[in-house]
Amino acid sequence: MGCCENRDRCCSIWRIVQSSLGIFIGISTAFVFYHSYHNAQAAGWALASGVFAAAALHLAILMHRKTIKSWYSILHLRSIQLLAFLVTDICVAAFVWYLFYAAYYKIPMVPVDNSAIVTSVWVFMTAKWAFLIWLFARLGIKDAEYDYITNSDGF
């Protein structure tokens, strides 16, 4: 079951491809929203989404190469996890706010230059990347703790 026989390798390659696409789409969308539609809020959230996708790509590459414990200690990974959790919470709150704002003031989705719904989509994308950073840090912690337990003499 899974996408190939070596599921861990296949999943880590998928994480790398997905994060790379997230960087490209986030940054290019930020450029388009800012310069073509003059929607600075959606552009800012799209850029933030691209930045968090880059952080997720970094962790995905380290997990694929199995070098995450040489870059980060478990304490650092837990700090990354905490920061990603806080950013996810802030983004979910902003997502709900933009949807409420659009519904309350009856702001249509088109034109894009002042659409709160389009902005809420990119807030959600930023929340998704922050959640994936949390998840990748958690997977890195599990790998590091497993290696510590199997390599220690006390067990």
Side-chain angles (χ1 to χ4, degrees):
M1 195 142 168
C3 52
C4 63
E5 288 183 20
N6 191 353
R7 188 170 188 271
D8 290 338
R9 180 168 169 74
C10 186
C11 289
S12 66
I13 291 171
W14 174 245
R15 290 179 197 131
I16 291 170
V17 169
Q18 184 182 15
S19 299
S20 300
L21 283 173
I23 294 168
F24 173 73
I25 292 171
I27 292 174
S28 61
T29 302
F31 182 78
V32 169
F33 279 156
Y34 188 75
H35 289 291
S36 298
Y37 298 114
H38 307 292
N39 189 341
Q41 291 183 9
W45 284 107
L47 184 63
S49 175
V51 168
F52 280 98
L57 175 66
H58 173 67
L59 291 176
I61 289 172
L62 291 178
M63 288 184 344
H64 177 71
R65 292 182 177 172
K66 300 192 184 318
T67 59
I68 196 163
K69 59 186 170 271
S70 65
W71 278 67
Y72 298 109
S73 68
I74 291 178
L75 178 64
H76 290 131
L77 288 172
R78 290 197 192 277
S79 298
I80 291 170
Q81 228 183 347
L82 177 63
L83 180 64
F85 180 76
L86 291 173
V87 170
T88 303
D89 286 347
I90 290 168
C91 290
V92 167
F95 173 71
V96 171
W97 167 251
Y98 278 113
L99 289 180
F100 169 77
Y101 183 74
Y104 186 78
Y105 289 108
K106 297 177 178 63
I107 300 172
M109 189 160 82
V110 177
V112 177
D113 58 349
N114 61 356
S115 176
I117 295 172
V118 171
T119 305
S120 72
V121 169
W122 284 100
V123 172
F124 180 78
M125 293 299 290
T126 306
K128 177 192 85 164
W129 287 116
F131 175 75
L132 286 176
I133 290 170
W134 176 84
L135 183 67
F136 293 170
R138 180 179 173 164
L139 292 173
I141 290 170
K142 283 185 175 183
D143 288 345
E145 286 178 345
Y146 177 75
D147 288 345
Y148 176 75
I149 291 172
T150 57
N151 291 336
S152 67
D153 294 331
F155 290 100

